[in-house]
Amino acid sequence: MHRPDLPFFPGSSTKVGLGVWHSLPVTLVVEFGLLAFGVWVYVRNTRPRNRTGRFVLWGLVAFLVVSYLGTELGPAPASVPALAWGGQALWLTVALAYWADANREAVSTDAYAVR
């Protein structure tokens, strides 16, 4: 997503990056595409153990979407403390992700089955 500023490998002078930050629509498409792909892979390879496992996962996805849209489309933080508290609030994603995953289980398929 960022400008070409990451070394291709450690010590490399070749820098890589897509530079899509220059276009908000492209950034949104790429970022939400990656999120959708990750959610699809996770949902395909797990199943809820209970109602909590179903609803907390979608609550987490909604929280991620709303917080991302807030950062992309909302105003800049009013102060450094506001920025700091916003960053600290993102720890909620860790708690929600843990809660969702604790209430889901892996789907056993023949390709991944341990024998």
Side-chain angles (χ1 to χ4, degrees), residues 5-68:
D5 61 352
L6 290 176
F8 191 62
F9 56 86
S12 171
S13 61
T14 303
K15 308 283 183 177
V16 296
L18 296 176
V20 298
W21 279 353
H22 300 293
S23 169
L24 180 60
V26 174
T27 298
L28 293 174
V29 167
V30 171
E31 295 272 352
F32 282 124
L34 288 171
L35 176 64
F37 178 72
V39 170
W40 176 77
V41 168
Y42 184 75
V43 167
R44 186 170 156 86
N45 290 288
T46 64
R47 68 174 166 243
R49 291 184 180 158
N50 50 39
R51 288 178 53 129
T52 302
R54 174 171 295 130
F55 295 114
V56 173
L57 173 63
W58 297 113
L60 171 63
V61 171
F63 179 76
L64 289 171
V65 168
V66 168
S67 63
Y68 180 73

Side-chain angles (χ1 to χ4, degrees), residues 45-112:
N45 290 288
T46 64
R47 68 174 166 243
R49 291 184 180 158
N50 50 39
R51 288 178 53 129
T52 302
R54 174 171 295 130
F55 295 114
V56 173
L57 173 63
W58 297 113
L60 171 63
V61 171
F63 179 76
L64 289 171
V65 168
V66 168
S67 63
Y68 180 73
L69 287 174
T71 60
E72 289 297 319
L73 305 176
S79 65
V80 172
L83 177 65
W85 280 110
Q88 291 299 320
L90 289 176
W91 280 102
L92 289 172
T93 60
V94 176
L96 283 172
Y98 177 81
W99 190 21
D101 195 56
N103 287 284
R104 295 184 70 86
E105 60 190 5
V107 174
S108 178
T109 63
D110 289 336
Y112 301 112

